[in-house]
Amino acid sequence: MEAFEAYLSAHLPSAASFHPHYELSLRQMLQGGGKRFRPALLLGVVRAFNPLMVESAYPVALSLELLHTYSLIHDDLPAMDNADLRRGMPTLHTTYDEVSAILAGDALNTYAFEVLSNAPLSDRVIVKLVRELSASGGASGMVLGQAIDCYFENTPLDVEQVRFLHIHKTGKLIAASLKMGAIVAGRDDMADRLYDFGIDLGLLFQIQDDILDVTMSSEEAGKTTNNDSAKNSFVTLLGFDEALAQADELARKLLERMESFDESLRRELSPTLVHYINRHKEQL
């Protein structure tokens, strides 16, 4: 991922003006690091199916990271999670002010589609990618999940409702990362299969986050933890032991499904997936 990280650094949003910190606010959370999980998934699929397209896929991977980062900035706002730490550094609304954080999130959201529209791919492929990213990250995807999460704070949901919440808030963008990789690589025949795998991967990712929220300090996690008591988290709903059991079972099933992937796809995705599928165990 070093090459992608260099690409990201060279394509940070630029908006020179006399505003004292606007441009800095657009870059801060991107430069603060992060797992780059979604770009790694997309690039892994492209590398497995069509390695000659990897460099052309960098803008697509960046668009995912931009959209994800915007969602984190807004998720941390006082009106939502009111968190003061993200990626090991102060959140934007604590560094600057709430208005700056809102506008930085807005800017990264739209910049994601600017970057994607300029990718060195055919217009036909770009339209497919825009459709996928906007559907998974927008009104009926990630934003819907966030709306449910915020509205039902302090109101317990049942298990299926919590699954629906987190499939939308977390799962769909992870699933889109895999599907978009297949589209870039010209393997539309694998797109839906990878998307379905990604939905379950995203669900595991969220259960793990809920587990890590109660087992790690903010310093260890690089973000505000122990902040979910009023949220519809899997730990809050099921209890720690049952949430851990469900994570273990989902991890087992995902590893089994990976065995059905062809050798090149397993080879490229395994370094990323095996770590994340088992990350809840590594912290216990």
Side-chain angles (χ1 to χ4, degrees):
M1 291 295 289
E2 289 183 10
F4 172 72
E5 202 68 37
Y7 180 87
L8 183 153
S9 296
H11 293 83
L12 293 168
S14 177
S17 77
F18 54 86
H19 192 290
H21 60 252
Y22 174 69
E23 187 175 66
L24 290 173
S25 73
L26 303 186
R27 299 178 171 193
Q28 180 171 310
M29 284 297 133
L30 292 165
Q31 292 176 305
K35 304 179 187 75
R36 313 298 193 214
F37 180 55
R38 292 149 192 83
L41 292 178
L42 183 143
L43 293 171
V45 172
V46 175
R47 196 175 291 111
F49 289 144
N50 195 342
L52 294 177
M53 293 293 294
V54 169
E55 287 193 20
S56 297
Y58 285 160
V60 186
L62 178 56
S63 73
L64 280 162
E65 188 65 15
L66 289 163
L67 197 77
H68 173 59
T69 303
Y70 123 72
S71 76
L72 300 181
I73 293 170
H74 280 194
D75 190 47
D76 289 335
L77 287 168
M80 298 196 196
D81 281 0
N82 195 24
D84 57 11
L85 191 69
R86 175 69 70 172
R87 292 179 171 172
M89 56 198 304
T91 49
L92 286 187
H93 68 272
T94 57
T95 300
Y96 304 113
D97 50 55
E98 191 171 2
V99 170
S100 295
I102 291 169
L103 293 175
D106 291 345
L108 294 186
N109 184 353
T110 49
Y111 185 56
F113 291 95
E114 179 183 345
V115 168
L116 182 54
S117 69
N118 285 312
L121 303 166
S122 72
D123 290 348
R124 178 183 62 83
V125 169
I126 288 173
V127 168
K128 287 183 179 181
L129 295 170
V130 167
R131 183 184 300 123
E132 188 57 44
L133 186 58
S134 57
S136 294
S140 60
M142 180 178 65
V143 178
L144 172 59
Q146 181 74 340
I148 293 171
D149 193 27
C150 292
Y151 184 82
F152 288 97
E153 191 169 315
N154 294 306
T155 303
L157 301 175
D158 63 36
V159 173
E160 286 308 308
Q161 288 173 323
V162 172
R163 284 174 59 86
F164 181 94
L165 186 172
H166 291 299
I167 282 170
H168 286 73
K169 182 180 176 181
T170 303
K172 285 198 168 185
L173 197 59
I174 289 173
S177 305
L178 291 161
K179 184 174 182 178
M180 290 167 70
I183 292 170
V184 171
R187 289 295 304 270
D188 289 34
D189 59 305
M190 284 292 294
D192 289 340
R193 183 180 171 192
L194 285 169
Y195 187 86
D196 291 342
F197 178 86
I199 289 292
D200 285 342
L201 178 63
L203 196 59
L204 172 61
F205 200 86
Q206 185 59 54
I207 298 173
Q208 291 173 330
D209 265 5
D210 293 348
I211 291 168
L212 298 177
D213 183 74
V214 299
T215 58
M216 297 179 71
S217 68
S218 297
E219 290 74 21
E220 291 171 319
K223 63 179 180 179
T224 303
T225 59
N226 294 293
N227 200 34
D228 285 351
S229 59
K231 295 278 189 178
N232 279 286
S233 78
F234 286 96
V235 171
T236 302
L237 178 66
L238 302 173
F240 180 83
D241 290 341
E242 180 58 26
L244 184 60
Q246 291 211 10
D248 286 343
E249 179 63 12
L250 193 49
R252 183 187 66 78
K253 289 180 177 178
L254 285 166
L255 289 169
E256 281 184 2
R257 287 166 68 184
M258 279 180 62
E259 291 303 311
S260 69
F261 293 164
D262 64 40
E263 182 181 352
S264 62
L265 189 57
R266 287 201 311 273
R267 182 180 65 249
E268 295 298 340
L269 289 182
S270 286
T272 299
L273 287 182
V274 170
H275 166 68
Y276 281 105
I277 285 172
N278 290 314
R279 70 186 176 122
H280 64 288
K281 298 178 183 178
E282 295 169 3
Q283 297 296 332
L284 296 178

